[in-house]
Amino acid sequence: MNIGLVNGFSSITNGNGALTASKMSGEKAKFSELLETLSSSQVSEEGRLNGDYKSGFSGTYKGNNNKQASVQGAAANQANDHVKSKTIDKTSKLYEKSMELESYFVKQMLSEMRKTVNKSALGGSDFAGQMYEDMLFDEYATSMTKNAGFGLADQIYLSLV
């Protein structure tokens, strides 16, 4: 195979090398300009990574009725009736982080359950499919934490207060 210049154009890129290089240069300039105008506080909210794809727990609970909420789930099932029931502040950052920890545990549970499913039933095992499936189960864990009322976040919150 003879590689070289034919009529002033590269035979490898069919003459598109210079065009591609100029497009890349223009894209790099636009990206650099974007980075200079944005600060990290504009890109992500506090405590989250840039590019974090999953929904979070900030703003899940609002209002005064959630400042003195009763515990639910396993935290409400106290073995001793003589223990005074406690209330939690669901609007606090500590409770938000407790929910994130509960979500992590639920995600681990779902991951172990997912291992028991035949992969051919889910449809391919390519990288993109696995990544999508992982993001889907992250969202399942978040949704279950918000709606199922396990009470693990309440127990974590009460143990840290």
Side-chain angles (χ1 to χ4, degrees), residues 38-54:
L38 291 177
S39 67
S40 61
S41 63
Q42 293 172 306
V43 176
S44 66
E45 61 186 66
E46 181 183 335
R48 294 194 58 165
L49 299 174
N50 291 340
D52 195 2
Y53 55 84
K54 91 176 194 172

Side-chain angles (χ1 to χ4, degrees), residues 5-20:
L5 291 178
V6 178
N7 294 332
F9 295 109
S10 170
S11 62
I12 295 175
T13 61
N14 294 327
N16 292 327
L19 179 63
T20 303

Side-chain angles (χ1 to χ4, degrees), residues 48-126:
R48 294 194 58 165
L49 299 174
N50 291 340
D52 195 2
Y53 55 84
K54 91 176 194 172
S55 57
F57 296 101
S58 64
T60 301
Y61 295 104
K62 298 177 184 176
N64 292 332
N65 59 338
N66 289 314
K67 290 205 179 279
Q68 294 293 322
S70 59
V71 295
Q72 63 181 12
N77 298 331
Q78 297 176 0
N80 190 348
D81 291 335
H82 303 291
V83 176
K84 181 183 171 192
S85 65
K86 298 178 181 176
T87 60
I88 54 178
D89 181 8
K90 290 186 174 184
T91 61
S92 70
K93 284 283 188 191
L94 179 61
Y95 189 74
E96 181 182 321
K97 297 302 178 186
S98 299
M99 287 181 67
E100 287 180 12
L101 185 58
E102 178 181 338
S103 177
Y104 176 75
F105 289 138
V106 171
K107 172 72 172 19
Q108 293 303 312
M109 178 188 67
L110 291 175
S111 294
E112 292 302 315
M113 292 170 64
R114 188 172 64 181
K115 289 178 184 176
T116 65
V117 176
N118 185 3
K119 293 297 178 187
S120 63
L122 295 175
S125 62
D126 61 336

